[in-house]
Amino acid sequence: MNHRTSGRAANPLRRRADRTRFRLHAAFVLACLIAVFCGAAAGWTAWTDSSRAAEAVARHRHAVTATTVGGTSYRAEDGPSGRTLTVAPATWNYPPDRTHRHTVSVPAETRTGDTVRVWVDDRGNPAAAPPGTPEVVFEAFGLGTLALTGILFVSGALVRVGLRIVDVRASRAWESEWESVEPVWSGRLRPGQGADDG
């Protein structure tokens, strides 16, 4: 027989509530480890998927040199950011036998006749630049962080609720025990108890 184990189990100072608190804290530590693993897995998966998607887009994006054929003006960018863009009409050839003319985003100091870099698709029409490494890293980091914080938040909330329940039950048990011990400890008679009652 293991005296150490039996002594620990029989320890009157180690209450059931204390054991439950220990288990809840251990569960939270385990949840933290799981959160780190899931966050890393989600980040890696997002990195792999985004890298493949970026490579697929890059195969159909081409950087061409365009020449501006007019003065600059301003236009609000599409999307929620609503930034003001400097734009100017420009021409370029892509494929080499096709000439295109579109209004494109240009640096603010651009003048007529300047050359600017423009991203186009396979048909030579203006297109967004392919996602670069910073965008891919940011997306992977964001998804990994979201997975990690989500698991930590949920597990933390569950452990907090569990600890609160344990505290309430322990407080009720203590009050009940104190009601039976306090009269004996203080020498005060309980209601209905006579002087000769044991």
Side-chain angles (χ1 to χ4, degrees), residues 155-166:
S155 59
L158 292 175
V159 168
R160 186 183 179 101
V161 169
L163 289 172
R164 178 65 181 157
I165 292 171
V166 170

Side-chain angles (χ1 to χ4, degrees), residues 1-196:
M1 180 176 182
N2 189 334
H3 296 289
R4 209 168 159 190
T5 304
S6 61
R8 184 180 299 166
N11 185 350
L13 298 178
R14 189 176 174 89
R15 299 172 300 171
R16 181 179 178 184
D18 296 327
R19 292 192 295 271
T20 303
R21 287 190 189 96
F22 176 80
R23 290 189 192 106
L24 287 170
H25 286 116
F28 183 68
V29 171
L30 180 61
C32 290
L33 296 175
I34 292 172
V36 170
F37 175 79
C38 291
W44 177 256
T45 301
W47 165 266
T48 304
D49 293 345
S50 297
S51 295
R52 287 178 185 159
E55 289 172 3
V57 170
R59 285 195 290 270
H60 302 282
R61 293 290 185 270
H62 314 279
V64 299
T65 300
T67 303
T68 57
V69 292
T72 59
S73 59
Y74 301 98
R75 182 178 68 194
E77 184 181 34
D78 296 333
S81 65
R83 291 184 310 162
T84 300
L85 301 176
T86 303
V87 297
T91 63
W92 62 87
N93 294 327
Y94 191 90
D97 58 342
R98 290 188 61 186
T99 301
H100 296 267
R101 178 184 171 124
H102 292 276
T103 298
V104 296
S105 178
V106 297
E109 66 278 3
T110 302
R111 297 171 298 179
T112 302
D114 285 351
T115 57
V116 293
R117 187 186 192 198
V118 176
W119 285 96
V120 298
D121 59 20
D122 291 334
R123 295 183 178 181
N125 296 318
T133 301
E135 290 89 346
V136 173
V137 169
F138 181 77
E139 183 177 351
F141 179 79
L143 288 174
T145 302
L146 182 64
L148 185 143
T149 54
I151 293 172
L152 288 180
F153 178 79
V154 172
S155 59
L158 292 175
V159 168
R160 186 183 179 101
V161 169
L163 289 172
R164 178 65 181 157
I165 292 171
V166 170
D167 289 342
V168 169
R169 289 179 179 172
S171 178
R172 288 177 183 166
W174 185 88
E175 289 174 1
S176 176
E177 292 172 3
W178 181 246
E179 284 180 4
S180 62
V181 171
E182 188 271 338
V184 177
W185 178 78
S186 65
R188 182 176 59 82
L189 296 177
R190 290 190 297 258
Q193 183 180 19
D196 296 331

